[in-house]
């Protein structure tokens, strides 16, 4: 039985004519992994998945779909967390997978740029940069499977934003197929270009709703020669914020990561995850995992850090600290941070938030949100962790011990609303790095001003008047 | 006699009702300094200059003008180089000066942000940051008089872009008055916010053609504790590009400025500018002035630089180098770079370009452009200098000795066209940091693709359908 309720055979034939028989899937069972998201929250249907090999093919597909009024859902690694890359339930949309467009088009190491196609896996890009003695600093959990087109369309964040910025900041040029099928070639590798509106900014972070990113010129950095990693305990989030300021200054802005973790998260990780061990003995309510990148082995970066820690210890901003002495100790420290996420699954259901506030407001946010959540659900166990350097907290709450997980999860929206109200009051964002997709579309509208919604819709209408580019997402 | 050819008294009265009598100028003689640009290339007329004190007043002015069909030219320090801030010759436009909106609204040093109004002088912002032990890294020649609203509207560059980015990269939030007078409050101080299209990017670098920036949340950095400045001679631009790569790596991306200067420029500076002295004896065709920022006094940054120079000397990438030993020596080295610009005026007329290419293409650009220009005008003396770290060369050409300056300047457009063709062939930009304004509007259209022009016009139409926001500029 076909998954496509209208004249699918004609559509399939037309698409296959463009992509070749290897470039299209139409049977429902073949589509299964493309129509659902990885968290299992969304399960749509699709008329077909197409796999173009070139920008020209993307252009022809979009032109055809545009003429036929068929909605298009661009898809990379399908690792998103907000349902942005799966189709609706009509079965009338197609999925446009970029995975066969995975060539590295050009490396220009003297210009510190790399030109890649949208379907390149993030890790392959990191590796290509490293081979040329360069760093592509975008780094996140899904890097082994996510694709750069998705990273750019969602303005991905990750653990090195503090120093290198979000995905948006790592792009010098784009190639985009517009809603009418025309190709915009903006693949420039320039640090300065003031010849008009910065068109690439429209498509970065737009979740495919304004056009389909097919290639990009990425910014590279010098590959660090020395990496200094430390775990420190701090008495409270205020001290962590002060420590961050001190270290940014003392290291000449070499702090690459600055991750806050609560004692409960460390406990969870050590309890459930093999290889997780807390190297600091004395109990502490808060931990900071931090990393600095330096230019040469044997630089004074460790010394600088130790000196700064020394002063902070005296003032009580830091209680204890340990520096990784080698790569395996470094991996061990990061294992705590990564294990914490995994470990929460072993403690039952959790309700999640991906929020940001000004860095200076993180302590107030943590205090207020924790109080509200524990007032709402007695015994709820907040495990707020994340990128303090960016003011980005993953405010995840593990269920009360012994509670029915379904009963806890039934309160998801209610808890979200209360936490988001705190975020809004502190001038924050209800989606710091995961985007809006389908998941947060309605909730987002609660916080956006009318002017802002109008502006977003004007842009959408100007670039995609028929609403065929990833319909139902973001705006 | 009035400068306003239609019912000006009614318009003046309505505007004065909004701004108060201190907030409007209408007499032709009072308008003189507002209707001409600082280079003296453009001399327009205006119905009035208004000086709102608040965003609310800007909003009311824009609403009034929008209803009346009056074009609005926003103006900051009026230091632009492309005629972007002066009105046309109709006398029907008004100038909206932001200079009375010059309050610093908030400093949040733990969030590394500063919230300022559009009329703040750039240097005052730098000073406010320094007082809070922070750095606002935007730095350029006009910093004593230019205003941040203009800097942001033109996406200003300057001498520290290599490390900190252009003006666009230094903004977290904006407040903008839209073409219909509504206020968009996007004054967020967040490092991560993925809740929709990045609307601020529309207005940054848009030269006031989409709305009027009234305030901004600016990104601050740690104030450097150590500054290492050096002047080096290199045999050719290729060596300079290699030296840049080496230093970016060796210093862990601490290179803040990397300025290329030709021997002719150094000669001109030493010949004409008091206090200019070349500290390197042996003659060399090319000089690099470079600066690194570090986190603490007595760090190993000097040592790192000397070590890197040592290796480069052995390989012939560098011929000689001198490090500033104190602030006065540092000022002396920068005086050469600044003096070079001033000195060109003493060598007769010059034809200018503000172009960029990928950093790796700078050597090819310099060779090709120099050949073309000297073939076109025998005896022409190119003095190409600028921000090599950004691929941004100010390709200025001093007239042949003894030639009639007017005869040389008569060839401006012809020379521009040839140089810009080289730029385009190398994937570059014909306006790296100065913008388009009126000066380069026509020339810019020679190089933009039809798709790109359409996209820009769609945005303009979506946000300013009546074409009243800085009409005749940019698009």
């Amino acid at each position: 039985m076909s998954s496509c309720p209208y004249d699918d055979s004609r559509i399939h034939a037309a698409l296959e004519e463009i992509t070749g028989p290897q470039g299209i899937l139409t049977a429902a069972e073949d589509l299964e992994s493309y129509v659902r998201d990885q968290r299992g929250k969304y399960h749509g249907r699709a008329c077909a998945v197409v796999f173009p090999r070139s920008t020209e093919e993307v252009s022809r597909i979009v032109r055809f779909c545009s003429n036929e009024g068929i909605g298009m859902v661009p898809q990379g690694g399908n690792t998103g967390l907000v349902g942005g890359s799966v189709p609706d339930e009509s079965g009338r949309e197609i999925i446009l997978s970029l995975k066969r467009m995975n060539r590295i088009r050009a490396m220009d190491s003297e210009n510190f740029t790399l030109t890649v196609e949208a379907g390149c896996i993030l890790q392959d890009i990191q590796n290509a940069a490293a081979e040329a003695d360069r760093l592509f600093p975008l780094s996140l959990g899904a890097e082994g499977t996510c694709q750069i087109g998705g990273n750019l369309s969602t303005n991905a964040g990750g653990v090195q934003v503090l120093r290198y910025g979000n995905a948006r900041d790592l792009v010098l040029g784009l190639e985009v197929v517009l809603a009418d099928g025309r190709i915009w070639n903006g693949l420039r590798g320039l640090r300065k270009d003031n010849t008009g509106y910065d068109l690439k900014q429209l498509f970065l972070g737009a979740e495919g709703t304004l056009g389909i990113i097919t290639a990009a010129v990425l910014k590279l950095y010098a590959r660090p020669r020395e990496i200094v990693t430390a775990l420190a305990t701090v008495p409270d989030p205020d001290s962590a914020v002060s420590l961050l300021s001190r270290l940014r200054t003392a290291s000449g802005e070499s702090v690459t990561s600055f991750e806050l973790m609560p004692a409960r998260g460390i406990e969870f990780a050590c309890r459930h995850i093999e290889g997780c061990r807390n190297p600091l003995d004395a109990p502490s309510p808060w931990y900071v995992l931090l990393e600095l990148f330096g230019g040469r082995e044997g630089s004074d970066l460790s010394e600088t850090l130790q000196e700064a820690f020394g002063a902070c210890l005296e003032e009580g901003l830091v209680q204890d600290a340990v520096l990784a002495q080698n790569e395996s100790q470094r991996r061990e420290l990061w294992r705590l941070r990564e294990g914490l996420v995994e470990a929460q699954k072993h403690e039952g259901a959790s309700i999640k938030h991906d929020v940001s506030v000004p860095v200076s407001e993180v302590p107030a946010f943590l205090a207020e949100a924790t109080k509200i959540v524990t007032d709402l659900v007695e015994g709820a166990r907040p495990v707020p962790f994340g990128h303090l350097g960016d003011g980005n907290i993953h405010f995840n709450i593990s269920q009360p011990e012994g509670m029915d997980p379904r009963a806890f999860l039934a309160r998801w929206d209610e808890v979200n609303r209360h936490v988001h109200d705190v975020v809004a009051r502190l001038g924050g964002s209800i989606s710091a790095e995961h985007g809006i997709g389908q998941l947060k579309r309605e909730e987002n509208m609660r916080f956006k001003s009318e002017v802002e919604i109008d502006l977003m819709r004007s842009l959408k209408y100007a670039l995609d008047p028929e609403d065929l580019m990833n319909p139902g997402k973001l705006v």
Side-chain angles (χ1 to χ4, degrees), chain A:
Chain A
M1 209 189 93
S2 162
S3 62
C4 189
Y6 55 131
D7 184 4
D8 54 353
S9 60
R10 186 179 59 82
I11 292 167
H12 292 164
L15 290 171
E16 186 174 326
E17 204 270 312
I18 298 169
T19 62
Q22 306 303 315
I24 183 166
L25 293 175
T26 59
E29 62 273 23
D30 294 336
L31 267 53
E32 190 53 23
S33 65
Y34 298 93
V35 296
R36 58 195 321 164
D37 74 314
Q38 65 150 2
R39 273 190 179 166
K41 262 187 192 301
Y42 296 95
H43 193 178
R45 294 167 67 223
C47 170
V49 189
V50 289
F51 304 90
R53 284 158 301 191
S54 65
T55 307
E56 192 49 48
E57 283 186 13
V58 176
S59 164
R60 289 177 62 199
I61 293 165
V62 173
R63 205 176 292 266
F64 169 77
C65 290
S66 170
N67 288 336
E68 299 279 336
I70 299 171
M72 293 157 266
V73 181
Q75 191 176 91
N78 199 16
T79 60
L81 301 173
V82 292
S85 55
V86 294
D88 66 17
E89 285 160 22
S90 69
R92 295 180 70 105
E93 298 179 343
I94 66 151
I95 295 171
L96 200 154
S97 166
L98 280 303
K99 77 193 226 186
R100 290 210 293 177
M101 287 189 63
N102 63 352
R103 285 177 311 137
I104 287 181
R105 290 196 190 162
M107 160 63 80
D108 184 346
S109 63
E110 296 273 41
N111 193 39
F112 287 71
T113 52
L114 185 63
T115 306
V116 300
E117 291 184 343
C120 289
I121 305 278
L122 175 53
Q123 203 161 62
D124 293 340
I125 292 173
Q126 294 168 344
N127 292 340
E131 273 167 39
D133 198 24
R134 297 287 180 259
L135 171 76
F136 181 62
L138 189 66
S139 175
L140 44 97
E143 62 197 25
T145 43
C146 64
Q147 294 168 20
I148 192 71
N151 297 145
L152 301 186
S153 292
T154 57
N155 187 28
V159 291
Q160 300 183 354
V161 171
L162 170 56
R163 178 149 180 201
Y164 298 103
N166 294 287
R168 178 186 301 282
D169 305 301
L170 300 173
V171 178
L172 293 179
L174 281 186
E175 180 188 80
V176 177
V177 174
L178 304 177
D180 60 7
R182 288 189 300 170
I183 299 165
W184 171 53
N185 181 347
L187 285 177
R188 291 183 275 265
L190 303 174
R191 256 88 190 161
K192 283 184 178 170
D193 178 18
N194 277 344
T195 57
Y197 305 138
D198 192 351
L199 298 173
K200 66 176 180 294
Q201 302 290 349
L202 281 172
F203 304 101
L204 295 164
E207 301 186 6
T209 61
L210 300 179
I212 298 173
I213 295 174
T214 49
V217 182
L218 304 175
K219 233 193 249 183
L220 304 179
Y221 285 86
R223 190 174 61 75
R225 295 300 198 262
E226 183 166 59
I227 296 178
V228 178
T229 312
L231 183 72
T233 50
V234 295
D236 48 48
D238 270 311
S239 301
V241 170
S242 299
L243 175 64
L244 173 61
S245 284
R246 301 286 188 94
L247 292 182
R248 286 185 64 170
T249 300
S251 70
E253 294 286 7
S254 298
V255 184
T256 305
S257 301
F258 196 91
E259 304 284 310
L260 185 70
M261 300 176 290
R264 183 180 281 127
I266 301 287
E267 281 161 35
F268 284 6
C270 295
R271 186 182 305 158
H272 299 292
I273 307 299
E274 214 188 301
C276 271
R277 196 183 63 82
N278 177 0
L280 296 173
D281 300 325
S284 172
W286 294 98
Y287 293 73
V288 172
L289 173 65
L290 58 96
E291 197 156 88
L292 293 82
F293 281 5
R296 52 172 202 165
E297 286 176 57
S299 79
D300 62 357
L301 208 52
S302 286
E303 193 188 308
T304 300
L305 181 60
Q306 280 167 318
E307 220 171 80
F309 274 152
C312 290
L313 272 163
E314 274 182 35
E315 294 176 51
L317 293 175
V318 167
Q319 296 162 319
D320 199 0
V322 58
L323 268 69
Q325 299 302 317
N326 51 46
E327 180 62 21
S328 105
Q329 287 184 11
R330 176 186 174 227
R331 292 301 331 147
E332 213 170 87
L333 295 183
W334 275 102
R335 188 90 191 99
L336 278 173
R337 165 68 179 79
E338 290 148 11
L340 176 161
V341 184
E342 230 177 305
Q344 273 198 278
K345 292 177 194 155
H346 299 270
E347 293 283 335
S350 53
I351 295 175
K352 297 173 198 285
H353 306 79
D354 165 40
V355 303
S356 66
V357 292
V359 174
S360 50
E361 299 286 7
V362 168
F365 166 72
L366 290 171
E368 291 181 38
T370 298
K371 179 166 186 333
I372 277 183
V373 161
T374 49
D375 283 354
L376 274 176
V377 185
E378 211 192 312
R381 296 171 296 163
V383 191
F385 67 95
H387 321 296
L388 179 60
D390 318 316
N392 175 196
I393 300 296
H394 297 296
F395 194 77
N396 293 356
I397 307 142
S398 283
Q399 63 165 79
E401 289 180 272
M403 186 178 183
D404 175 5
R406 281 162 308 182
F408 182 64
L409 290 176
R411 308 196 58 183
W412 187 295
D413 291 345
E414 180 195 0
V415 171
N416 271 190
R417 270 196 305 274
H418 282 86
V419 171
H420 291 164
D421 285 341
V422 175
V423 167
R425 213 159 48 233
L426 296 170
S429 163
I430 66 153
S431 187
E433 55 178 12
H434 297 167
I436 299 299
Q438 302 178 57
L439 182 67
K440 295 187 184 170
R441 198 176 173 215
E442 210 181 305
E443 179 73 350
N444 196 31
M445 292 300 153
R446 279 214 299 136
F447 298 103
K448 292 279 176 194
S449 68
E450 198 189 308
V451 172
E452 190 149 336
I453 292 170
D454 277 3
L455 277 170
M456 296 213 293
R457 292 199 172 136
S458 302
L459 291 181
K460 174 71 173 171
Y461 186 76
L463 272 81
D464 177 28
E466 306 295 331
D467 191 20
L468 296 173
M469 308 310 283
N470 212 6
K473 317 290 163 48
L474 189 61
V475 279

